[in-house]
Amino acid sequence: MDSKMQGLLFFCSFVFFSSIRDGYAGFTSSFVRSEFPSVDIPLDHQVFAVPKGHNAPQQVHITQGDYEGKAVIISWVTPDEPGSNHVHFGTSEDKYQSSAEGTVSNYTFGEYKSGYIHHCLVEGLEHNTKYYYKIGSGDSSREFWFETPPKVEADAPYKFGIIGDLGQTFNSLSTLEHYIESKAQTVLFVGDLSYADRYKYTDVGVRWDTWARFVEKSTAYQPWIWSAGNHEIEYFPYMGEVVPFNNYLRRYTTPYLASNSSSPLWYAIRLASAHIIVLSSYSPYVKYTPQYKWLSEELTRVDREKTPWLIVLMHVPLYNSNEAHYMEGESMRVVFESWFIKYKVDVIFAGHVHAYERSYRFSNVDYNITGGNRYPVADKSAPVYITVGDGGNQEGLASRFMDPQPEYSAFREASYGHSTLEIKNRTHAVYHWNRNDEGKKVTTDSFVLHNQYWGNNRRRRKLKHFILSVIDEVVSI
Ligand SMILES: [Fe+2]
């Protein structure tokens, strides 16, 4: 295909997607797709298989380890004894020139005794580089690889996946396999990981273990950026467990200190051309609380010249027109929405509701108790809100939407799936929601996301000029 034809195709897509975006005619898909029963995969299924060998590392997962993408935290569990605490790594297969030493700990949860949980910070990495790594020892050692992101700069392209409320059913397995097919580079996970809290006593810990083995085929090879949901709280006085997030925090680390956060539950990273802020829906966030104070400071550190894309993750959606969890995000919306508009957040991803929903750019910041304005209004400075709580857990789909569809709601459907956000440059990114459909992933909602900061900039005008010149050329053929 020559460059003129590519230009014409790009223009046609641009017009099509723009017309969707600006239409304010919401669409409720009648499609409801639940491929498999909402029950967890049996414990003896091969997706939970324990790797062979004495004390072999299992449940391997990585996440970004710093503020810039030059470090990863590699985590794994050894079941029988602490074993080696080193990660051996290098840039060519079977040659591990470097090593790093991590920490190891175990814990109890009721009567459950965990394996030995290792967390190892591997730092000083080069950007855009494939690294191979080895953990464990002797015949039981295991090898994996990962790729570091490009340097933090304005036009760095990058492809994110977005997954939420995953669980460990056969629907979850479809979502995970479809996500891997999407060939994205990092998962933005919007909370509710294992649904182990649906079990009791020792089975809670057992299902945290099975979940981590279940997702290892992705989590060992690319970073998953974690945020916590209600299923991570696990407040269980009946078994003496009253410290929230215990299983989650023992197993899933985040680089919170690198963004001056005081808690692993809320933090920020910079990755390629994106600044990603992770919030905790279930930690205090009202005025004067640590999370509130931290967010107020982190937003001032966002440099849109270096990271044009500002993305926020949280578990509970601020805009949700499903009957499930309706209004649960309202208190956080009241506290933070005006900041999200002031700082021109591009998109906010959430989970919690087991369905898919995308909003237009709307806000409700004019509302106050006495002002009289009570309804969300179209607002070009507002983020797009996307709910992707449709990973496929054992609680099933949330299939009852409010009727009529509110004006702010652009698209909604009660099916399982995952999303991708492919950043092309500083001005635009391509978004897809991919439904699980008869064993396939089917793109069901897509649009071009225009950057909120650079959208009105000279560079955007330059892009428009380029498109018009391509049209002129095509017309004159
Ligand atoms: Fe949830």
Side-chain angles (χ1 to χ4, degrees), residues 14 18 21 309 346 361 427-428 448-452 460:
F14 176 82
S18 297
R21 201 170 62 94
W309 297 94
D346 289 294
R361 294 192 186 279
T427 56
H428 75 282
V448 174
L449 183 68
H450 296 278
N451 187 271
Q452 283 288 59
R460 171 82 184 279

Side-chain angles (χ1 to χ4, degrees), residues 183-472:
K183 299 200 182 307
Q185 295 160 281
T186 284
V187 169
L188 306 177
F189 194 86
V190 288
D192 284 357
L193 286 69
S194 69
Y195 286 74
D197 66 332
R198 304 269 297 176
Y199 292 84
K200 286 190 166 181
Y201 303 107
T202 55
D203 286 343
V204 178
V206 168
R207 282 291 177 171
W208 273 103
D209 288 328
T210 55
W211 190 80
R213 294 200 293 273
F214 169 64
V215 293
E216 188 191 82
K217 60 184 173 181
S218 175
T219 58
Y221 297 94
Q222 60 170 243
W224 283 41
I225 306 305
W226 302 108
S227 56
N230 53 304
H231 287 279
E232 278 68 72
I233 299 172
E234 301 191 314
Y235 174 69
F236 293 155
Y238 76 90
M239 50 195 280
E241 293 297 340
V242 293
V243 177
F245 303 109
N246 193 11
N247 284 301
Y248 172 71
L249 292 176
R250 296 278 190 172
R251 293 157 186 267
Y252 294 92
T253 56
T254 65
Y256 66 102
L257 294 172
S259 58
N260 301 328
S261 167
S262 56
S263 167
L265 296 169
W266 59 87
Y267 62 100
I269 57 167
R270 309 199 304 175
L271 205 172
S273 49
H275 193 119
I276 296 159
I277 290 177
V278 176
L279 297 179
S280 175
S281 299
Y282 299 102
S283 305
Y285 48 76
V286 296
K287 199 167 183 177
Y288 313 119
T289 61
Q291 184 170 206
Y292 178 99
K293 193 163 185 301
W294 173 82
L295 181 59
S296 72
E297 289 164 5
E298 183 62 22
L299 285 168
T300 65
R301 284 193 284 271
V302 178
D303 179 356
R304 304 297 277 269
E305 301 287 325
K306 282 189 178 164
T307 53
W309 297 94
L310 181 52
I311 298 168
V312 175
L313 312 181
M314 59 182 63
H315 185 60
V316 181
L318 304 191
Y319 284 90
N320 161 42
S321 70
N322 197 297
E323 287 186 18
H325 305 302
Y326 187 61
M327 296 285 282
E328 286 182 20
E330 188 63 5
S331 52
M332 186 182 268
R333 185 194 69 71
V334 170
V335 178
F336 288 151
E337 186 179 25
S338 59
W339 291 357
F340 296 152
I341 290 160
K342 177 182 173 188
Y343 289 96
K344 295 188 183 300
V345 172
D346 289 294
V347 58
I348 296 182
F349 292 110
H352 200 39
V353 179
H354 301 164
Y356 172 72
E357 184 164 15
R358 169 173 63 87
S359 79
Y360 293 115
R361 294 192 186 279
F362 263 68
S363 74
N364 202 7
V365 287
D366 283 341
Y367 169 76
N368 62 44
I369 298 293
T370 56
N373 295 332
R374 323 181 256 164
Y375 301 108
V377 293
D379 183 344
K380 285 184 176 169
S381 297
V384 172
Y385 294 89
I386 296 177
T387 302
V388 202
D390 54 352
N393 63 74
Q394 59 158 270
E395 290 179 342
L397 287 166
S399 53
R400 290 206 304 272
F401 288 106
M402 310 293 287
D403 188 28
Q405 185 167 8
E407 275 200 339
Y408 65 74
S409 175
F411 185 97
R412 51 190 194 171
E413 180 180 312
S415 298
Y416 297 120
H418 75 279
S419 297
T420 56
L421 181 69
E422 188 169 7
I423 294 172
K424 299 289 190 184
N425 53 33
R426 76 185 69 189
T427 56
H428 75 282
V430 178
Y431 170 84
H432 289 103
W433 175 60
N434 304 295
R435 169 209 290 154
N436 299 347
D437 191 349
E438 303 280 6
K440 298 193 186 76
K441 76 177 174 75
V442 175
T443 297
T444 310
D445 185 32
S446 56
F447 66 99
V448 174
L449 183 68
H450 296 278
N451 187 271
Q452 283 288 59
Y453 177 81
W454 287 91
N456 296 318
N457 187 280
R458 204 151 45 100
R459 194 170 173 100
R460 171 82 184 279
R461 288 200 294 275
K462 211 166 140 186
L463 182 66
K464 197 172 170 185
H465 181 75
F466 164 75
I467 292 165
L468 291 173
S469 67
V470 169
I471 296 165
D472 280 347

